[in-house]
Amino acid sequence: MLKRKIQNKLESWYESGHYKAPLLYGARQVGKTTAVREFATRHYKYFVEVNFVKRPIAMQAFDGDLTTKNIVTNLSAMGFGPFVEGETLLFLDEIQECPNARTAIKFLVEENVYDYIASGSLLGINYKPVPSYPVGFEEKYDVYPMDFEEFLWAKGITSDVYDIVKRSYRELKPVPDFIHQQLIRYYREYLVVGGMPEVVSKFVEKNDFREVIKAQKSIISTYRADITNYAGKQASLVKRVFDAIPSELGKQDKRFVLANIEKGASLRKYEDPTQWLIDSGVAYYSFNTNSFELPFEATENRRLYKLYMVDTGLLCSQLLRNMQFQVMNGDIAVNEGALTENFVACTLASQDVSLHYYDKKSKLELDFIIADGDGISIIEVKSGEDHKKHASLNNAITNNAMHINRSIVLSKFNVEVDNGIIYLPLYMASMLVGTDY
């Protein structure tokens, strides 16, 4: 069983009186259903799972009156159950397939006979109209692929080890060298494996990269099938964008250039297909800005952007086919920068950070700039040995010091502060945002 942070949110919901209905949503195969099943085993005598994809007939239970009695009667007639008042959790999985079920949440929660949790993929939730949203009766929880800390849990690394890392981050002191070297090794594993629960399970249980790659290819195939099923007339354009992400990230500047996928391609033609991938949770935008002023959204140039993939392991399986072992062992530098930058992008995006990169006439380029209190933090990502060579960062500090709170370089090297620049190991990326550390 994989330990997930979403479990903590479900526990908090339960302990607070389990009012409202949690809605777990995210990209396909990030572990939403498994998290609910494991939670239910701890707290409920009866667990009723209704999956609208596997059992589409269940959608008919939400035709007509949206009362608890009518819905439960209909579900019982279809073989779902048992329903015992006060002891049953009804799980509505793939709820995007049944908009009426989403509407029914309001009435089910109001009547308070059973407990309810819903789950759905972003692509359906964002694109299927709902007659009436249950505003005030559901709690939305984002679910992402497993982050690096969850990956360590899967590997059997105790919380005590990560507590040492957190303390080093807070105090800006080096992590003990043995621990640092081990975590860098695990970080390389994470670059290759990623955080999709099925893939992580294969890796932990069998330590067989053939199984890892097979599982990753299966997920990629599922995503491409979803594009066909959900993207309608735009499906072919969406697939072009999706398939181009690895090669575009593999370039030195990593900027997504539409002309590389179709001669004469226009933003007008590809904006909606690209947004489809963003809305489905499969990719993340990082928009260009050439100003050190907040909010970035006021100065961003939406014609210039990078696209990152939701999971670094999936990116690795497409970008570096059959070279995973070399990446894990640090034997290859080719395109590792793309994986490393994607890792940081995913880490920030999963913490609800709006991604932006700084580029002013291609003379001053910074990987990420993020809001940091009332100022800005610059984050430079280095995959190689030259982590202290950063002319653009130096230039930015010299000319925009009044706007910059922190200048950070992430690399494989240990914690250090030099001339006001904070050097951190890449596995500390998740600690740059929030106050938990």
Side-chain angles (χ1 to χ4, degrees):
M1 182 180 73
L2 298 174
K3 181 181 177 183
R4 300 298 307 275
K5 293 178 180 178
I6 185 61
Q7 294 285 353
N8 296 334
K9 293 183 179 180
L10 292 176
E11 292 293 339
S12 296
W13 164 76
Y14 187 83
E15 292 170 5
S16 67
H18 33 103
Y19 303 110
K20 300 186 178 182
L23 169 62
L24 278 61
Y25 66 130
R28 293 277 196 186
Q29 301 197 37
V30 294
K32 302 181 293 294
T33 300
T34 300
V36 175
R37 289 172 179 168
E38 293 175 358
F39 169 77
T41 62
R42 294 194 297 274
H43 294 290
Y44 295 91
K45 186 174 182 180
Y46 302 104
F47 176 56
V48 181
E49 179 176 338
V50 178
N51 186 304
F52 293 108
V53 171
K54 294 180 179 178
R55 296 286 301 279
I57 191 176
M59 288 186 276
Q60 297 177 25
F62 294 84
D63 294 338
D65 294 338
L66 297 180
T67 62
T68 302
K69 182 177 180 180
N70 185 57
I71 292 170
V72 168
T73 298
N74 290 340
L75 289 174
S76 296
M78 297 173 185
F80 294 100
F83 290 90
V84 179
E85 184 173 346
E87 297 181 350
T88 302
L89 173 65
L90 174 57
F91 176 36
L92 302 174
D93 199 7
E94 303 286 4
I95 197 172
Q96 76 277 353
E97 298 296 326
C98 184
N100 281 347
R102 184 91 181 274
T103 297
I105 289 292
K106 172 182 177 180
F107 309 107
L108 295 172
V109 170
E110 273 187 326
E111 294 176 29
N112 195 31
V113 180
Y114 312 102
D115 286 347
Y116 308 92
I117 295 179
S119 174
S121 66
L122 281 169
L123 59 91
I125 287 176
N126 285 326
Y127 281 88
K128 287 201 173 185
V130 175
S132 177
Y133 288 93
V135 177
F137 294 90
E138 68 179 9
E139 257 179 79
K140 293 183 179 180
Y141 297 140
D142 292 301
V143 184
Y144 297 93
M146 297 171 67
D147 64 21
F148 182 63
E149 186 176 6
E150 291 174 314
F151 180 76
L152 291 180
W153 293 342
K155 294 281 294 182
I157 310 304
T158 66
S159 297
D160 293 341
V161 173
Y162 217 63
D163 287 342
I164 293 172
V165 177
K166 293 175 185 178
R167 185 167 64 249
S168 293
Y169 172 77
R170 289 193 302 268
E171 299 174 357
L172 292 180
K173 294 181 179 179
V175 177
D177 187 63
F178 175 77
I179 293 177
H180 170 71
Q181 295 300 331
Q182 293 300 309
L183 290 179
I184 285 295
R185 181 168 67 85
Y186 292 135
Y187 157 74
R188 287 191 175 280
E189 289 182 354
Y190 184 82
L191 280 188
V192 173
V193 176
M196 289 298 185
E198 178 189 356
V199 180
V200 175
S201 293
K202 297 283 188 185
F203 178 66
V204 172
E205 293 169 6
K206 299 185 178 180
N207 200 27
D208 185 343
F209 274 107
R210 291 172 300 179
E211 293 294 326
V212 167
I213 295 169
K214 182 179 178 181
Q216 290 169 333
K217 287 182 176 179
S218 175
I219 293 173
I220 292 293
S221 295
T222 297
Y223 282 175
R224 298 188 90 255
D226 283 338
I227 293 171
T228 299
N229 293 334
Y230 287 94
K233 296 179 180 178
Q234 294 182 330
S236 62
L237 298 182
V238 175
K239 285 182 181 178
R240 284 186 191 178
V241 176
F242 177 69
D243 292 340
I245 291 176
S247 60
E248 292 298 283
L249 280 176
K251 300 183 309 181
Q252 184 173 358
D253 66 2
K254 300 176 179 61
R255 184 164 66 86
F256 198 95
V257 179
L258 290 173
N260 290 338
I261 61 175
E262 180 187 353
K263 185 177 181 180
S266 66
L267 183 63
R268 179 188 295 272
K269 180 177 181 179
Y270 279 94
E271 186 173 22
D272 286 345
T274 304
Q275 189 63 49
W276 190 96
L277 287 173
I278 305 299
D279 289 343
S280 70
V282 172
Y284 302 123
Y285 264 131
S286 179
F287 287 111
N288 166 263
T289 181
N290 60 11
S291 173
F292 285 93
E293 295 182 5
L294 294 173
F296 297 130
E297 287 74 12
T299 60
E300 68 187 12
N301 183 348
R302 297 181 71 89
R303 298 184 66 85
L304 300 176
Y305 57 87
K306 300 178 184 180
L307 283 180
Y308 297 103
M309 191 165 286
V310 66
D311 180 70
T312 298
L314 297 182
L315 175 63
C316 184
S317 71
Q318 293 181 290
L319 186 64
L320 298 177
R321 302 177 191 277
N322 303 317
M323 300 178 74
Q324 285 85 346
F325 187 76
Q326 291 94 318
V327 173
M328 190 184 74
N329 288 282
D331 296 334
I332 182 172
V334 178
N335 285 331
E336 189 176 329
L339 298 177
T340 303
E341 194 169 309
N342 199 92
F343 164 76
V344 176
C346 290
T347 301
L348 295 175
S350 68
Q351 295 175 304
D352 202 28
V353 174
S354 179
L355 301 180
H356 291 85
Y357 71 98
Y358 184 96
D359 186 350
K360 193 169 186 178
K361 298 180 180 179
S362 298
K363 295 180 180 179
L364 181 59
E365 302 176 8
L366 301 168
D367 295 328
F368 299 98
I369 58 174
I370 64 173
D372 186 2
D374 58 354
I376 292 168
S377 281
I378 297 173
I379 304 172
E380 281 283 78
V381 182
K382 299 290 186 179
S383 59
E385 303 292 333
D386 58 347
H387 71 299
K388 288 197 173 183
K389 293 182 180 180
H390 35 63
S392 291
L393 177 59
N394 295 340
N395 191 312
I397 294 171
T398 300
N399 296 309
N400 300 277
M402 68 179 66
H403 300 292
I404 300 172
N405 283 355
R406 293 184 298 171
S407 301
I408 299 164
V409 175
L410 296 173
S411 73
K412 65 181 181 180
F413 296 95
N414 213 327
V415 179
E416 181 183 359
V417 180
D418 186 8
N419 285 328
I421 298 175
I422 302 170
Y423 296 90
L424 300 173
L426 281 151
Y427 54 75
M428 284 187 178
S430 63
M431 302 178 187
L432 301 179
V433 181
T435 58
D436 293 342
Y437 300 101

